[in-house]
Amino acid sequence: MRTSLLPGLLNNLQHAQRYQEDRLCLFELARSYFPLPNAELPSERYSFDFVLCGPKKEWITENEEMDFFDGKGLIINLLRRQYAVDPIVYRNEELENELAFLHPKKSAIIKLAELDIGHVGVLHPDVAEAFELRGQIVYASIALDALILVEKKLRLPQAKSLPKFPHSTRDIALLVKEEITLETVMQNFDEQNQKLIEKVELFDLYRGNQLPEQHKSLALRIYYRDPENTLTDKAIDKLHGQVTQALAKRLDGSLR
C-alpha cells in the first residue's frame, strides 16, 4: 500500500536512464494510502503525478535541462484547459518539512479556486542521488479529490444522462417595456425555481405600431420535462398558466 507515487516513478526513470534515454516525461494516475489516527483503515487518495527530466526541445533552447518552470507551465496549461482558470503556484516555507523530498528553493504549492490541490518542484539532490538519477528531475502531484472540490466551487457544467421521458413545449407572447432585457426575463424564470422548466428560448422579437409606445413583444418557447414521469397535458397547462402569470406580474407586462 503505497503512501506516494513518487518512488515508482523514480524507479521507472532510473530504468529508462540506464538504457540511455535522456528526455523523459512520465506520469501515473493511481491511489496512495495514508494512515488515520484512531482508525483501522487508511485514507485512500487518487492523485495525478508526473516527472520530467532531460534536455528541453531543440526549438525552445539548446543544451538546457527541463526545470521548475517547465513543470509549472505544464500544470498551468493542463488546468487552464480543463477549468478555464489559471492556477496559482506559490512558495510556502511552512510546508518545507512535508516536501523534504523537493529542493527547498525550487518547489511550490499549487492552488486553484483558493484550494490547495498539489505541489511541484525539483527533486532534492539527495533523493536523486539515492535513486542514481542523472540531471535535474522535476516532480509534481495533483490530488484528484481536491479537483472534485474545485469543480463544485466553480460550478462547472456537469454531464447528465439522457432523459427517459419526453418534453412538452408551450409558447407565449410577452408584452414588456422596452428597457426590460432578455436577461432579466430569463432571470425571472430562474427565480421561480420551477424544476420542471428545462429551458426557455426566444424565437421572435416584435416592435411595431400595433404595440404601445416604448414596448416590445417577446415570443418565448418554454420546455417542460419531469425527469421521473411523463407530464400530462392537464398538468402542463396548469403549470404553464402559473408560470406565465407570475412572469407577467413580476415584469409589469402582459400576455398577448
Side-chain angles (χ1 to χ4, degrees):
M1 300 176 71
R2 298 180 295 176
T3 58
S4 172
L5 304 185
L6 179 58
L9 286 169
L10 296 184
N11 283 327
N12 289 330
L13 203 59
Q14 179 193 72
H15 180 77
Q17 284 190 348
R18 286 177 177 173
Y19 282 86
Q20 308 306 313
E21 292 290 340
D22 292 327
R23 182 187 297 119
L24 292 161
C25 303
L26 307 179
F27 77 91
E28 185 173 6
L29 178 65
R31 288 173 291 191
S32 52
Y33 302 87
F34 301 85
L36 295 174
N38 303 320
E40 294 183 4
L41 297 177
S43 170
E44 179 179 314
R45 303 177 192 173
Y46 273 94
S47 67
F48 168 75
D49 292 23
F50 68 80
V51 291
L52 311 173
C53 74
K56 298 183 181 183
K57 296 287 187 180
E58 290 81 0
W59 58 269
I60 299 176
T61 184
E62 291 185 5
N63 302 322
E64 280 193 26
E65 287 186 300
M66 285 188 277
D67 55 24
F68 170 82
F69 296 100
D70 292 287
K72 175 183 175 181
L74 179 56
I75 288 170
I76 289 176
N77 286 332
L78 285 172
L79 297 177
R80 178 192 293 158
R81 188 174 301 177
Q82 177 67 24
Y83 300 102
V85 176
D86 282 353
I88 298 172
V89 182
Y90 70 101
R91 290 270 301 129
N92 189 335
E93 296 181 358
E94 295 179 0
L95 294 179
E96 282 189 7
N97 291 333
E98 294 183 29
L99 303 179
F101 50 87
L102 296 178
H103 193 294
K105 302 300 182 183
K106 299 178 182 179
S107 57
I109 303 300
I110 308 164
K111 184 185 286 287
L112 185 63
E114 300 181 350
L115 297 173
D116 289 346
I117 63 169
H119 48 264
V120 59
V122 174
L123 196 66
H124 196 287
D126 292 344
V127 179
E129 183 179 353
F131 279 85
E132 301 178 353
L133 297 172
R134 301 190 305 272
Q136 185 168 245
I137 313 299
V138 182
Y139 168 69
S141 178
I142 299 175
L144 298 192
D145 55 346
L147 290 183
I148 293 174
L149 297 177
V150 167
E151 291 183 356
K152 292 180 179 179
K153 190 168 184 178
L154 294 178
R155 297 183 179 180
L156 298 177
Q158 300 292 319
K160 296 181 179 180
S161 59
L162 294 174
K164 297 180 181 179
F165 301 97
H167 70 255
S168 296
T169 61
R170 295 291 188 273
D171 295 344
I172 63 169
L174 180 65
L175 183 67
V176 294
K177 295 178 181 178
E178 186 64 46
E179 62 265 22
I180 300 295
T181 64
L182 180 61
E183 181 181 8
T184 300
V185 175
M186 296 305 184
Q187 286 176 350
N188 274 271
F189 275 107
D190 293 338
E191 289 171 3
Q192 292 195 52
N193 197 28
Q194 287 289 350
K195 296 181 179 179
L196 299 184
I197 297 178
E198 187 174 66
K199 64 178 178 178
V200 181
E201 295 178 342
L202 174 72
F203 66 87
D204 190 32
L205 170 62
Y206 176 74
R207 296 182 178 94
N209 295 330
Q210 299 177 3
L211 301 180
E213 188 176 351
Q214 296 298 312
H215 280 69
K216 59 187 175 185
S217 178
L218 305 175
L220 302 166
R221 179 160 295 141
I222 308 173
Y223 291 75
Y224 296 95
R225 192 197 305 267
D226 188 335
E228 298 180 357
N229 295 288
T230 299
L231 289 170
T232 64
D233 287 340
K234 183 177 180 180
I236 295 171
D237 290 340
K238 180 179 179 181
L239 175 59
H240 183 68
Q242 295 171 348
V243 168
T244 54
Q245 290 296 331
L247 180 69
K249 184 177 181 180
R250 287 182 179 213
L251 298 176
D252 193 24
S254 59
L255 302 174
R256 300 182 67 203

